[in-house]
Amino acid sequence: MNAPSDISMKTEEVLRVELEVFRREHRDLDEAIQALQEKATGDQLTIQRLKKKKLRLKDQIAIIEDRLTPDIIA
């Protein structure tokens, strides 16, 4: 994943594209982790690293979704 950049400077369209890319990568990582776990010889260190990367992506997704969701004052 790229170094964190200033999300406030990005347009809504750019954020939506990034959001879709991050979601797709998150799904791909989930599938890769499942495949490694199903193998009896799955490398635990690799699985841990993939899980950490997946969590970082989840955080990035949450940040972008929060930025794209308008604040509603009740």
Side-chain angles (χ1 to χ4, degrees):
M1 194 161 63
N2 296 341
S5 57
D6 188 6
I7 196 169
S8 64
M9 299 299 290
K10 295 182 179 180
T11 66
E12 186 174 324
E13 184 177 337
V14 170
L15 289 174
R16 290 190 188 282
V17 170
E18 281 187 355
L19 182 60
E20 185 55 38
V21 169
F22 290 158
R23 284 179 175 161
R24 189 175 313 128
E25 189 174 347
H26 188 268
R27 281 190 305 268
D28 291 345
L29 281 171
D30 193 37
E31 291 172 6
I33 290 167
Q34 282 181 339
L36 284 172
Q37 287 176 335
E38 288 172 3
K39 290 174 64 175
T41 59
D43 180 14
Q44 291 303 311
L45 184 59
T46 301
I47 292 171
Q48 279 184 310
R49 287 180 179 161
L50 291 175
K51 284 182 177 183
K52 282 185 180 184
K53 185 172 182 178
K54 186 178 162 191
L55 284 173
R56 284 192 303 268
L57 279 171
K58 184 177 179 182
D59 290 343
Q60 278 296 109
I61 289 168
I63 290 168
I64 293 173
E65 286 175 339
D66 188 50
R67 174 91 159 92
L68 290 174
T69 304
D71 290 336
I72 299 173
I73 300 173

